[in-house]
């Protein structure tokens, strides 16, 4: 604190001096204050918490900025808190007419108190339009609340999608007994929650589980549902418990119309939610969470007063502009330090070898045209999913491969920028290296390192090429792909889901080392995110995991499924969509599984390597079958797969019947298209 004490006999002189002093100091400090105001505004963007999950419904249409729908949405969201029945945490409201009508639902978790509910909904109404700009329909979840809006009716309708689930990494003790106790508790809570009125349908309680574990659970529906719809919705999410959190200490499954959560600690406020049965003694207190700076009470404010002693002598205590400066600096530092996650700091601190500046990768169109001899047919290497690929030579003598996206390509500017931004940040020997890119006129060009041996499919699905791949080379290719995926999933600073892993996207260098390519469909996961959903299914049939094909859910385990299919192709030398050996024909996965069950799996091995290390080849088939299990939780992680591939001492679980995806030989590829499973069934 800066304090000035002035003793002045003449009141007018004092006034003039104080005015001139203040003006001078304000003038000097104005530049700093302006800068701090800007920084505080930036700080607010950091202060906005992220959703647990959110979905932007791209297929539901877009609105025009500052159009009628946009104005209706802004009006509706601006009145969100005032129109919410805060005592019950539920909001449903409509505004507008016909195609510009906006419908919105806000729901706070049943135990959340009024002020926390208001804060959560206010955060939601700011963040959701930012995350889904111009989308007419969107939904976002915080831990304490949900907000959704759409141009279609949302009220009195039970909806199951989009949804997500999360689970605790720790396993419960005696999980069979744990699961049974949990199911009994959830079934009991459903019976208490569903008869609720139009303002609240929620119940929470705890029960004693095995090994002195207490299980706490909360179930909730949006209050606009009927008792029947609420029961159906909650029964549906509880039925998905084995796929989500089987044997885990905690988990949740969330749908637009209902949700449940359970933990082995008390995560809800028992004073603000119905407790349908007596509560046993509470468990040991959970570790005290880190303080939330925004929830801390403000520091005490000093009260300043002036006291006149006489008409001839006046002491003035003035706290001037520097205090504002110091206060703003402190607030700025607290805000920036507390709101940046560890992951953000790690990403910023990543070394320059891994994260390259995208601007330095930009190449002029003229440079690329010169390198490829104006995209001459003589330099054409082949045709990819989104356009031709040309060989080129840069002015420094470096050989490159130029991917030229077709003007009619289904890969749009979003996918193009995604591939540039992702690949530019990745450096691994088993990932193709991006040399540069160009986005000029109507051209979209990606310049990669030149890989002389083309892609894996040129070898593995060709009789002559397949003969060049002995087991040692195939072993090297499989383990190299696994290490590349492990880097994408866990070892890089970013968590990336490839979503289109297949033989044609595995390039082979001069030593036949594999390099994963084509990141146009890849997705970057946020901090601590484990899965995501999409209504836009992209990829290649046969390689896509069932939960992705039918529900739009993808995760690192989706890539694991694709890896398993790819291993089976490499070992058998057959395409996944169709295999024909003697009188046997069908899809590759069905063929290999039948032989595995019958003990004749050696028949599935490519004859050109059949005399090689059979035990090792069968072990690789075993690992591949574990990768293609129908239940996501049963598939191993890439870290486990790399260990299993490299060490024979690691025991393998027996695979159960895998998820089959029998497809037509004439219908194999989806690229950047909306996919409706029912329409193609």
């Amino acid at each position: 604190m800066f304090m000035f004490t002035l003793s002045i006999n003449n009141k007018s002189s004092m006034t003039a001096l104080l005015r001139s002093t203040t003006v001078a100091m304000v003038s000097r400090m104005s530049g700093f204050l302006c800068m701090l105001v800007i920084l505080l505004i930036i700080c607010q963007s950091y202060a906005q918490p992220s959703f647990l999950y959110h979905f932007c419904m791209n297929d539901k249409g877009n609105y025009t900025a500052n159009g009628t729908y946009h104005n209706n949405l802004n009006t509706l969201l601006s009145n969100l808190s005032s129109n919410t029945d805060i005592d019950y945490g539920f909001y449903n409201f409509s505004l507008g007419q016909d195609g510009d009508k906006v419908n919105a639902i806000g729901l706070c978790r049943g135990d959340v108190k009024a002020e926390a509910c208001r804060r959560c909904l206010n955060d939601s109404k700011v963040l959701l339009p930012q995350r889904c700009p111009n989308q007419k329909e969107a939904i976002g979840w915080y831990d304490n609340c949900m907000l959704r809006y759409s141009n279609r009716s949302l009220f009195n309708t039970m909806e199951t999608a989009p949804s997500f689930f999360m689970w605790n990494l720790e396993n419960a003790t005696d999980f069979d007994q744990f699961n049974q106790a949990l199911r009994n508790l959830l079934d009991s809570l459903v019976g208490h929650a569903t008869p609720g009125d139009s303002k609240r349908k929620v119940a929470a309680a705890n029960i004693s589980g095995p090994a002195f574990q207490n299980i706490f659970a909360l179930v909730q529906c949006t209050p606009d549902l009927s008792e029947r719809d609420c029961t159906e919705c909650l029964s549906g999410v509880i039925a998905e418990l084995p796929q989500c959190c089987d044997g885990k200490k905690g988990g949740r499954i969330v749908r637009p119309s209902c949700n449940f959560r359970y933990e082995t600690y008390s995560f809800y406020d028992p004073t603000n939610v119905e407790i349908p049965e007596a509560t046993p003694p509470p468990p040991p207190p959970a570790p005290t969470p880190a303080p939330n700076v925004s929830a801390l009470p403000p520091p005490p404010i000093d009260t300043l007063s002036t006291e006149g002693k006489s008409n001839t002598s006046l002491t003035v205590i003035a706290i001037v502009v520097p205090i504002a400066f110091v206060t703003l600096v402190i607030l700025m530092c607290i805000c920036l330090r507390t709101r940046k996650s560890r992951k953000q700091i790690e990403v910023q601190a990543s070394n320059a070898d891994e994260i390259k500046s995208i601007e330095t990768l930009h190449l002029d169109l003229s440079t690329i045209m010169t390198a490829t001899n104006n995209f001459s047919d003589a330099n054409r290497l082949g045709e990819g999913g989104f356009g031709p690929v040309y060989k080129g030579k840069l002015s420094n003598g470096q050989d490159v491969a130029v991917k030229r996206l077709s003007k009619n390509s289904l890969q749009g500017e979003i996918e193009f920028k995604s591939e540039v931004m992702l690949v530019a940040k990745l450096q691994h020997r088993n990932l193709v290296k991006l040399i540069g890119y160009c986005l000029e006129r109507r051209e979209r060009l990606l310049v990669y390192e030149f890989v002389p041996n083309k892609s894996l499919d040129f070898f593995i699905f060709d009789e002559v090429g397949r003969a060049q791949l002995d087991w040692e080379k195939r072993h090297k290719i499989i383990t190299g792909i696994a290490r590349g995926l492990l880097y994408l999933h866990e070892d890089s600073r970013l968590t990336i889901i490839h979503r289109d892993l297949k033989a044609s996207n595995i390039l082979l260098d001069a030593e036949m080392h594999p390099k994963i390519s084509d990141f146009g469909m890849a997705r970057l996961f946020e901090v601590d995110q484990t899965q995501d959903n999409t209504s836009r299914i992209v990829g290649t049939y046969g390689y896509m995991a069932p939960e992705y094909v039918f529900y739009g859910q993808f995760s690192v385990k989706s890539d694991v499924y694709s890896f398993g299919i790819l291993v089976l192709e490499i070992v058998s030398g057959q395409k996944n969509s169709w295999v024909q050996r003697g009188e046997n024909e069908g899809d590759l996965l069905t063929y290999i599984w039948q032989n595995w069950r019958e003990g004749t799996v050696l028949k599935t091995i490519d004859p050109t390597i059949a005399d090689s290390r059979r035990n090792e080849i069968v072990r690789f088939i075993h690992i591949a079958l574990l990768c293609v299990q129908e239940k996501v939780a049963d598939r191993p992680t890439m870290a486990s797969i790399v260990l299993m591939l490299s060490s024979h001492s690691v025991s393998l679980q027996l695979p159960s019947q895998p998820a089959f995806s029998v497809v037509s030989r004439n219908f194999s590829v989806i690229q950047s298209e909306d996919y409706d499973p029912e329409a193609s069934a």
Side-chain angles (χ1 to χ4, degrees), residues 615-677:
N615 289 340
E616 187 173 58
I617 297 174
V618 171
R619 180 179 175 84
F620 275 44
I621 294 175
H622 190 163
I623 295 169
L625 289 174
L626 293 176
C627 293
V628 296
Q629 295 294 282
E630 185 167 10
K631 291 178 62 175
V632 174
D634 289 345
R635 299 174 205 156
T637 63
M638 289 311 306
S640 299
I641 292 168
V642 169
L643 182 61
M644 290 186 288
L645 292 173
S646 60
S647 174
H648 290 272
S649 63
V650 178
S651 60
L652 305 180
Q653 295 182 351
L654 288 177
S656 56
Q657 181 171 331
F660 295 142
S661 181
V662 181
V663 297
S664 165
R665 281 177 285 181
N666 299 320
F667 188 59
S668 61
V669 179
I670 308 175
Q671 294 173 337
S672 298
E673 296 176 343
D674 290 336
Y675 170 60
D676 183 353

Side-chain angles (χ1 to χ4, degrees), residues 347 350-357 424-427 493-494:
V347 170
S350 59
N351 60 61
D353 290 336
E354 180 174 346
I355 305 237
K356 299 173 65 178
S357 171
K425 296 178 180 181
L426 302 174
Q427 299 292 317
R493 302 284 182 182
L494 309 167

Side-chain angles (χ1 to χ4, degrees), residues 569-600:
E569 289 184 327
I570 295 171
V571 171
S572 68
Q574 298 288 331
K575 292 184 179 180
N576 69 73
S577 56
W578 202 257
V579 60
Q580 187 168 4
R581 291 254 177 102
E583 297 180 355
N584 297 318
E585 63 177 21
D587 70 285
L588 179 62
L589 188 50
T590 304
Y591 172 70
I592 290 182
W593 173 248
Q594 287 174 345
N595 281 279
W596 176 271
R597 290 181 58 192
E598 295 167 3
T600 57

Side-chain angles (χ1 to χ4, degrees), residues 51-299:
F51 286 124
L52 290 177
Y53 267 88
H54 72 278
F55 297 94
C56 308
M57 316 305 186
N58 298 320
D59 58 333
K60 303 300 182 183
N62 297 332
Y63 60 80
T64 304
N66 299 321
T68 305
Y69 188 92
H70 191 191
N71 293 334
N72 289 339
L73 177 62
N74 287 340
T75 302
L76 185 145
L77 294 180
S78 65
N79 295 318
L80 180 65
S81 297
S82 59
N83 287 328
T84 302
D85 192 337
I86 289 297
D87 290 336
Y88 296 95
F90 181 56
Y91 167 88
N92 60 334
F93 198 67
S94 298
L95 184 65
Q97 299 292 329
D98 301 326
D100 292 320
K101 185 176 182 178
V102 185
N103 304 287
I105 288 180
L107 178 69
C108 289
R109 201 176 70 195
D111 64 305
V112 173
K113 292 184 178 179
E115 186 55 38
C117 176
R118 183 180 289 107
R119 286 198 306 268
C120 187
L121 290 175
N122 284 337
D123 286 338
S124 299
K125 73 182 184 182
V126 173
L127 187 60
L128 191 54
Q130 293 177 356
R131 290 288 183 267
C132 303
N134 303 325
Q135 267 80 51
K136 286 189 174 182
E137 182 168 342
I139 184 170
W141 286 274
Y142 282 117
D143 194 40
N144 283 351
C145 69
M146 171 202 74
L147 176 64
R148 60 188 302 217
Y149 54 78
S150 177
N151 60 331
R152 61 185 179 88
S153 178
L154 303 175
F155 313 131
N156 306 312
T157 303
M158 192 269 287
E159 297 196 1
T160 61
S163 66
F164 72 94
F165 54 85
M166 305 176 72
W167 64 90
N168 192 310
L169 295 177
E170 295 186 24
N171 292 321
T173 305
D174 300 325
F175 63 84
D176 286 335
Q177 298 179 41
F178 183 93
N179 284 346
Q180 187 58 52
L182 173 61
R183 287 300 298 264
N184 293 340
L185 174 59
L186 292 174
D187 290 342
S188 172
L189 290 177
V190 171
H192 285 83
T194 54
D197 57 25
S198 61
K199 293 185 176 180
R200 177 173 288 187
K201 283 184 170 65
V202 61
N206 67 81
I207 191 172
S208 295
F212 306 103
Q213 297 176 101
N214 281 334
I215 308 172
F216 297 78
L218 181 147
V219 302
Q220 185 172 16
C221 292
T222 56
D224 58 318
L225 293 187
S226 65
E227 181 176 347
R228 177 179 178 180
D229 284 344
C230 181
T231 301
E232 181 181 346
C233 188
L234 287 174
S235 299
V237 293
I238 292 173
E240 293 179 1
L241 186 61
Q243 286 74 39
C244 158
C245 332
D246 196 23
K248 298 299 183 181
K249 280 189 173 182
R252 70 178 85 185
I253 301 179
V254 181
R255 292 178 174 179
S257 295
C258 66
N259 66 85
F260 80 86
R261 181 184 177 186
Y262 75 93
E263 304 287 354
T264 53
Y265 61 89
S266 181
F267 63 90
Y268 56 79
D269 183 353
T271 65
N272 204 39
V273 67
E274 178 187 3
I275 305 294
E277 59 185 40
T279 305
T288 304
N292 183 350
V293 174
S294 63
L296 294 177

Side-chain angles (χ1 to χ4, degrees), residues 28 69 74 76 91 122-123 149 162 213 245 298 328 340 364-365 367 369 374 444 456 472 544 576 582 586 589 612:
R28 293 178 182 178
Y69 188 92
N74 287 340
L76 185 145
Y91 167 88
N122 284 337
D123 286 338
Y149 54 78
Q213 297 176 101
C245 332
L328 288 173
K340 278 194 175 182
D364 294 333
L365 178 58
T367 299
M369 292 182 69
N374 199 17
R444 289 171 294 169
L456 177 61
E472 183 179 356
M544 293 190 292
N576 69 73
L589 188 50
S612 302

